[in-house]
Amino acid sequence: VITKIKARQILDSRGIPTVEVDLFTNKGMFRASVPSGDTTGMYEAVDLRDGDKGTFLGNSVTRAVKNINEKISEALIGMDPTLQPQIDHAMIDLDKTEKKGELGANAILAVSIAACKAGAAEKEVPLYKHIADISGETNLTLPVPAFTLISGGKHAGNHLAIQEIMILPVGASRFEEALQMGSETYHHLKAVITEKYGAHECNVGEDGGFAPNISSWKEGLDLLKEAIGRTGYNDRIKIAIDVAASDFCIGTKYDLEKKVPNKSGQNFKSAEDMIEMYKELCSEYPVVSIEDPFDKEDWEHVKHFSSLGICQVVGDDLLMSNPKRIQRAIQESSCNALLLKVNQIGTVTEAIEVVRQAKEANMGVVTSHRCGETEDSFISDLSVGLATGQIKAGAPCRGERLAKYNQSSLSNVSNM
Ligand code: PGA
Ligand code: ZN
């Protein structure tokens, strides 16, 4: 049974406070911490911050920590950690608000994850196996990783409007091989950027992707194409893009030069122009997946673009891991894959439910990190246990990103 729960404030990969918790049972101590992102939409569960501008610029999480140490702890002590739905529902009931604003989704999720780890230990099974048991998933697979190699948008200080250009080592036969392919491409890309622009252009963005001061997507894709060419992997590596188009949507137009100083003002695109550009990218480069191609409220164009069937269309800002928005996407056949950000929903149980909802409608699922991460590798086990098939956890570089990829390598499904 759960004997003690003790939370504290730690700093995430950006140096911003977040919540960490130690949950104790007779089997030992189980630690979990939660990430946070740059986007915090209206439909996301609440990332509770103190808001005192004089402390950590308003970002401290001492209220969330206190909620764990007092209210949540009192409610959960004595519970069986293997009963994930009961634990999560006890916290949901205690919070009583739709978006977990009372206790904070950061407080609730930290405890939910720690309890899940304790549940696996109680059963003496690997974490991914425990997650598979809770969800009823039997067809376990290791995910294809989406490595961020070029960063832009809100995640980097360069001129690139789009947020990420990623590689998918789809031709790898094992996860370790995918990781090797990602690492080799990353280092070849570093050499390509150094030769072309100089070593000072090899700085990285928040997810560890290189952030050379390019402003066009094609420039980024050409750099990547050259790097992939040098690896010799050729068509065993495909490309995915996270446009995060809401970041540079102005009214009904997209400002591709949003981050460019003294810009020409000529680069405003309509949604139709964007569709033409996506078609071109998918035919000229091995682009097989595009995330958030339009503004998060532009359901119509997402639907139209998906209907063309040229690539996987992932809903991140569009869906916000919110069951009502996923339902709408299913009904309207808009995007065809869900980006699962566990902290946007706030408990392991609800994350399992949205994955089930998406899969039942034949949507793909990409388990995702956030830009502000910790070294907690829970999402790796989650992606294996729920067989989401894809994981996006940043570059094959930086400790908080590698914590996930290295953990995925460890989950040896064939030994189950
Ligand atoms: P975020 O970015 O964590 O800043 O929201 C991740 C993503 O857009 O996929
Ligand atoms: Zn995204």
Side-chain angles (χ1 to χ4, degrees):
V1 298
I2 299 172
T3 54
K4 184 174 146 188
I5 303 176
K6 187 91 186 88
R8 74 182 75 83
Q9 174 173 291
I10 60 164
L11 298 186
D12 71 16
S13 58
R14 303 168 300 179
I16 295 176
T18 190
V19 177
E20 180 169 82
V21 66
D22 290 344
L23 182 146
F24 297 79
T25 69
N26 309 342
K27 294 271 184 189
M29 185 267 275
F30 304 91
R31 177 169 289 173
S33 54
V34 294
S36 65
D38 275 345
T39 51
T40 41
M42 267 174 63
Y43 299 87
E44 296 185 23
V46 175
D47 189 26
L48 188 66
R49 305 262 164 198
D50 298 345
D52 164 15
K53 293 283 176 216
T55 310
F56 285 106
L57 292 82
N59 288 315
S60 55
V61 291
T62 62
R63 281 196 292 152
V65 165
K66 191 163 181 269
N67 288 339
I68 295 177
N69 290 340
E70 293 172 4
K71 296 183 188 148
I72 294 178
S73 170
E74 194 187 312
L76 300 193
I77 283 175
M79 284 183 84
D80 175 350
T82 64
L83 303 177
Q84 190 73 40
Q86 281 88 330
I87 289 170
D88 289 341
H89 283 289
M91 291 191 282
I92 292 166
D93 292 347
L94 192 62
D95 180 89
K96 293 191 185 71
T97 67
E98 200 187 330
K99 293 196 288 177
K100 305 183 174 66
E102 185 61 32
L103 298 171
N106 39 357
I108 293 175
L109 181 63
V111 176
S112 180
I113 293 174
C116 193
K117 293 177 181 177
E122 198 72 24
K123 286 159 59 182
E124 296 181 356
V125 296
L127 182 53
Y128 67 84
K129 178 76 173 68
H130 175 48
I131 295 167
D133 288 349
I134 308 169
S135 67
E137 180 62 61
T138 51
N139 199 11
L140 304 198
T141 47
L142 281 167
V144 174
F147 297 117
T148 306
L149 290 208
I150 296 182
S151 296
K154 279 189 182 165
H155 292 178
N158 57 2
H159 293 168
L160 192 63
I162 59 166
Q163 190 176 286
E164 288 163 71
I165 306 180
M166 293 164 272
I167 56 162
L168 307 171
V170 293
S173 52
R174 289 168 302 118
F175 193 89
E176 292 94 316
E177 192 187 1
L179 193 49
Q180 179 184 341
M181 291 163 80
S183 165
E184 289 171 4
T185 314
Y186 185 82
H187 291 286
H188 278 296
L189 181 63
K190 186 172 186 176
V192 172
I193 295 171
T194 306
E195 285 161 29
K196 199 155 183 202
Y197 307 105
H200 59 283
E201 292 291 336
C202 286
N203 295 332
V204 300
E206 281 177 350
D207 308 344
F210 294 111
N213 208 9
I214 51 174
S215 49
S216 96
W217 322 22
K218 285 199 167 183
E219 227 175 320
L221 287 163
D222 285 333
L223 292 169
L224 206 47
K225 206 170 162 180
E226 169 70 22
I228 294 170
R230 290 188 191 187
T231 65
Y233 291 122
N234 304 325
D235 54 4
R236 295 174 67 203
I237 295 183
K238 303 289 183 200
I239 294 177
I241 297 177
D242 182 1
V243 182
S246 299
D247 285 348
F248 55 94
C249 179
I250 320 274
T252 58
K253 298 273 196 209
Y254 295 90
D255 182 4
L256 291 182
E257 290 183 333
K258 186 178 172 200
K259 291 163 67 191
V260 180
N262 310 319
K263 56 189 167 190
S264 66
Q266 303 297 310
N267 225 351
F268 283 82
K269 304 279 185 205
S270 66
E272 284 71 26
D273 297 336
M274 297 291 276
I275 291 181
E276 287 312 308
M277 204 163 63
Y278 296 139
K279 281 191 197 162
E280 219 178 287
L281 292 184
C282 292
S283 67
E284 285 175 24
Y285 301 89
V287 174
V288 295
S289 177
I290 298 185
E291 181 177 330
D292 289 331
F294 304 98
D295 182 67
K296 61 181 181 294
E297 297 305 333
D298 188 354
W299 294 82
E300 274 312 302
H301 284 101
V302 181
K303 178 180 172 174
H304 173 58
F305 180 56
S306 299
S307 74
L308 302 178
I310 44 181
C311 65
Q312 170 177 260
V313 181
V314 184
D316 169 13
D317 297 342
L318 180 80
L319 302 179
M320 301 174 202
S321 301
N322 178 294
K324 290 186 186 137
R325 292 179 74 93
I326 298 168
Q327 196 48 41
R328 178 167 177 191
I330 294 167
Q331 266 159 7
E332 298 181 8
S333 317
S334 40
C335 60
N336 51 39
L338 160 72
L339 193 90
L340 173 70
K341 287 171 166 169
V342 184
N343 82 316
Q344 288 186 330
I345 183 145
T347 63
V348 174
T349 300
E350 290 162 289
I352 291 171
E353 281 162 16
V354 295
V355 169
R356 186 176 300 133
Q357 183 187 10
K359 282 188 166 189
E360 276 172 7
N362 285 321
M363 284 173 88
V365 181
V366 185
T367 304
S368 174
H369 69 159
R370 302 304 311 263
C371 63
E373 266 298 339
T374 71
E375 56 274 43
D376 195 307
S377 60
F378 178 75
I379 60 165
S380 307
D381 286 85
L382 189 74
S383 75
V384 175
L386 299 183
T388 66
Q390 301 174 68
I391 188 168
K392 168 180 169 177
C397 167
R398 324 308 310 178
E400 74 282 3
R401 314 295 153 186
L402 263 319
K404 280 72 169 171
Y405 294 131
N406 287 334
Q407 174 67 14
S408 299
S409 284
L410 261 181
S411 320
N412 191 345
V413 174
S414 58
N415 277 354
M416 272 206 342

